[in-house]
Amino acid sequence: MTEYTYQDLLAVGENEKERVNFVLSAIHNHKMSSDYEIAIIAEEYNRHKNVTISEYQKILYTVTGKAIPDNFSANFKMACRHFHRFVVQENQFLLGNGATFDDDSVEDKLGNKKKPFDTQLQLLGKKALVQKVAFGFFNFDHIDVFGFTEFVPLWDEEDGGLKAGIRFWQINDTKPLRATLYELDGYTDIIWRVGADYEILTPKRPYKVTIRSTEADGAEIYDGENYPGFPIIPLWGNSEHQSELVGLREQIDCYDLIKSGFANTVDEASFVYWTIQNAGGMDDLDLAHFVERMKTLHAAVVDDDGAKAESHQQEVPYASREALLDRLDKDLYRDAMALDVEAIKSGAATATQIRAAYEPLNTKCDDFEYCIKEFIDRLLEIAGLESKVSFTRSMIVNTAEDVSTVLMAAQYLSADYVTNKILDILGDGDQAETILDALNSEEMDRFTGRKQDDVEDEAREMLQGEE
């Protein structure tokens, strides 16, 4: 299916009906694309809903070879949380402490109280990792977040940049379809009500408008302007420009199917079955009565002479399945480049072991951080701001070992540096200034006290000499 581009929009011209038809066609085309399908599936996995296993149906075959649904035996459908865990871990490891700008005022200009910049950036990052790309719309004093499942990007065929786009939403097929066409010179709101033609809710207007209000005429727009570039910026989840689910889905499906099958086997093996010797005269009805009495009275009488009833229970083969589940779990963490806390949960783990366990996640986040910095650089350009951004990653540390290392080098370092470093390790870095002021004050008091003692000693010696 051909992807619509920015040049396709330009070719439509300014005819209102043709532009509306283009928007509707572009939405339909977007929802039919393979990337959209993957994004929808990835969102389901992120919500702990395994699409593959939910559609799995156990089958029975009759003596004639006909396949029929098995509605009698256990059919557990358990979905693991691996994908959600990987996404949250990567996103929060990099963005959990927020972005740090060298100009403190920048962050306030990129977000407001309702939509703080750090909160919106975390939401944007999560959607990008799940859906392959997300879009941040700089809306005057904050960022609005659009996922790939609700936004049609119109890329420029010549330079590959994003020059226009369509955001759409609809609760279900019986509700109205809303869409907003974003262009370089403004945006247009459109609605399709059920059983009616389209309606332009907001004719094209600039992104930034100045409104004046009078008692006679009410509120009116008398001036407007746009940004120096297209205010919707893509954030890719990785350098491959694909969902993080790609390459992991098959292993997650295998894990869930084996785990569910294991539960089915345990459930089926919990039944006790009976064999009755020397009771060939019992028909199916007699056997059913026998089983019923065993379930209700836990005792039954076998009328035939020499008849003997024995109970049996199946042994569940579990070793191979547990081994495979353990292998799949480790492979998933390795292929997702995620941190498996099982490797460092021991209290005796050294700082070197901890850093080694974090290295795959660090490497993966280096790639993700590049995408985020590219997004923020473009955002600052649109907002007319200049600053550099950095991120502080949250890591488990061996506190005692790290503090000991700093103290061993203390003789070669300044007291202020040693204090700051230790407080950072202990997680009290924000208290550094207060503690340093207190330490410096105490040192000054001790110094002043010693100087006063020296003066008193010298005076005492002078008096003794005069005597």
Side-chain angles (χ1 to χ4, degrees):
M1 183 172 292
T2 304
E3 183 178 2
Y4 282 35
T5 65
Y6 176 61
Q7 277 70 24
D8 293 329
L9 174 62
L10 294 179
V12 172
E14 295 299 324
N15 181 273
E16 179 183 284
K17 187 172 182 62
E18 290 184 3
R19 287 167 64 83
V20 170
N21 289 337
F22 173 85
V23 169
L24 194 61
S25 179
I27 294 172
H28 175 74
N29 190 75
H30 181 71
K31 295 173 73 172
M32 294 297 292
S33 67
S34 59
D35 285 341
Y36 180 85
E37 181 183 1
I38 293 174
I40 290 292
I41 292 173
E43 277 295 340
E44 292 297 301
Y45 276 77
N46 187 50
R47 295 189 178 101
H48 330 304
K49 299 178 181 180
N50 187 315
V51 176
T52 304
I53 199 172
S54 64
E55 299 173 354
Y56 175 72
Q57 173 65 55
K58 297 178 70 175
I59 298 297
L60 291 176
Y61 293 93
T62 64
V63 292
T64 60
K66 182 181 179 181
I68 59 174
D70 181 1
N71 299 319
F72 305 99
S73 61
N75 188 19
F76 292 105
K77 297 179 179 182
M78 297 182 289
C80 68
R81 298 171 66 94
H82 279 85
F83 183 61
H84 176 76
R85 188 183 303 120
F86 297 154
V87 168
V88 171
Q89 185 183 96
E90 179 180 355
N91 194 56
Q92 297 308 113
F93 179 65
L94 181 60
L95 303 177
N97 292 320
T100 302
F101 293 93
D102 56 7
D103 182 352
D104 294 336
S105 66
V106 167
E107 187 171 345
D108 294 334
K109 296 175 181 177
L110 298 177
N112 54 35
K113 291 183 178 180
K114 291 185 178 180
K115 294 184 177 182
F117 175 72
D118 285 337
T119 302
Q120 294 300 94
L121 185 62
Q122 289 180 32
L123 176 61
L124 190 70
K126 185 176 180 181
K127 284 186 176 291
L129 291 171
V130 173
Q131 301 181 16
K132 94 166 185 176
V133 64
F135 303 88
F137 170 36
F138 181 60
N139 194 358
F140 185 64
D141 65 347
H142 67 277
I143 294 175
D144 289 322
V145 177
F146 305 153
F148 187 72
T149 56
E150 59 179 329
F151 186 79
V152 184
L154 298 175
W155 307 101
D156 192 310
E157 298 174 10
E158 298 176 1
D159 60 18
L162 185 64
K163 298 294 179 64
I166 305 163
R167 191 200 177 195
F168 63 93
W169 63 99
Q170 184 179 25
I171 296 176
N172 56 53
D173 292 340
T174 64
K175 303 298 180 182
L177 169 64
R178 287 285 306 274
T180 301
L181 173 61
Y182 295 95
E183 302 175 80
L184 289 168
D185 57 347
Y187 66 95
T188 306
D189 285 328
I190 314 168
I191 187 171
W192 290 265
R193 305 185 191 278
V194 179
D197 200 1
Y198 74 89
E199 179 184 348
I200 302 295
L201 294 179
T202 305
K204 185 189 287 190
R205 65 169 55 174
Y207 290 101
K208 295 186 290 183
V209 296
T210 305
I211 299 177
R212 63 183 174 192
S213 178
T214 62
E215 190 172 342
D217 300 327
E220 65 172 342
I221 298 172
Y222 75 91
D223 193 15
E225 61 178 315
N226 291 302
Y227 297 101
F230 189 54
I232 299 179
I233 309 161
L235 170 63
W236 299 96
N238 48 57
S239 57
E240 290 81 18
H241 292 187
Q242 62 184 17
S243 168
E244 287 292 319
L245 183 65
V246 176
L248 296 178
R249 180 183 178 183
E250 293 77 12
Q251 294 185 67
I252 292 174
D253 290 345
C254 184
Y255 184 94
D256 289 347
L257 286 169
I258 291 175
K259 186 176 180 180
S260 300
F262 194 4
N264 292 337
T265 302
V266 171
D267 182 80
E268 293 167 1
S270 64
F271 293 107
V272 176
Y273 67 92
W274 295 84
T275 57
I276 305 177
Q277 300 178 1
N278 300 322
M282 297 179 68
D283 56 18
D284 289 346
L285 183 61
D286 296 328
L287 291 173
H289 287 160
F290 173 81
V291 172
E292 182 181 1
R293 290 181 64 86
M294 292 301 298
K295 287 183 177 180
T296 55
L297 302 177
H298 304 289
V301 177
V302 182
D303 296 331
D304 293 353
D305 293 337
K308 179 181 178 182
E310 293 183 356
S311 63
H312 301 273
Q313 191 170 10
Q314 291 179 304
E315 291 292 332
V316 178
Y318 65 90
S320 60
R321 298 192 188 193
E322 286 190 343
L324 183 53
L325 286 175
D326 184 64
R327 174 64 180 273
L328 284 169
D329 184 71
K330 291 179 179 178
D331 286 351
L332 278 166
Y333 272 95
R334 185 192 65 227
D335 293 344
M337 300 178 72
L339 171 67
D340 185 0
V341 294
E342 293 293 325
I344 56 174
K345 71 177 183 179
S346 171
T350 66
T352 302
Q353 290 173 320
I354 293 173
R355 283 194 293 270
Y358 268 99
E359 189 55 29
L361 182 58
N362 261 317
T363 303
K364 188 176 186 181
C365 283
D366 287 341
D367 182 54
F368 188 32
E369 183 174 342
Y370 174 81
C371 297
I372 291 176
K373 285 185 175 179
E374 187 177 31
F375 166 83
I376 292 179
D377 288 344
R378 179 59 179 158
L379 175 65
L380 293 174
E381 183 181 343
I382 294 296
L385 302 171
E386 291 186 8
S387 186
K388 291 185 178 180
V389 66
S390 61
F391 302 93
T392 302
R393 303 181 186 183
S394 300
M395 294 182 64
I396 300 171
V397 297
N398 186 323
T399 305
E401 185 175 347
D402 285 355
V403 170
S404 176
T405 302
V406 173
L407 291 176
M408 288 174 62
Q411 59 181 319
Y412 306 106
L413 304 169
S414 69
D416 286 1
Y417 176 84
V418 172
T419 303
N420 272 302
K421 194 67 176 177
I422 292 176
L423 289 174
D424 284 340
I425 295 171
L426 296 177
D428 294 323
D430 56 340
Q431 301 294 323
E433 186 175 351
T434 303
I435 293 174
L436 284 171
D437 288 342
L439 289 174
N440 291 333
S441 178
E442 291 177 6
E443 183 65 25
M444 182 59 69
D445 290 342
R446 287 196 296 270
F447 176 77
T448 304
R450 286 197 301 271
K451 295 294 287 183
Q452 183 65 32
D453 292 341
D454 292 342
V455 171
E456 292 177 356
D457 290 341
E458 291 177 2
R460 194 176 295 110
E461 290 177 359
M462 290 174 65
L463 290 173
Q464 290 174 355
E466 292 177 358
E467 292 177 356

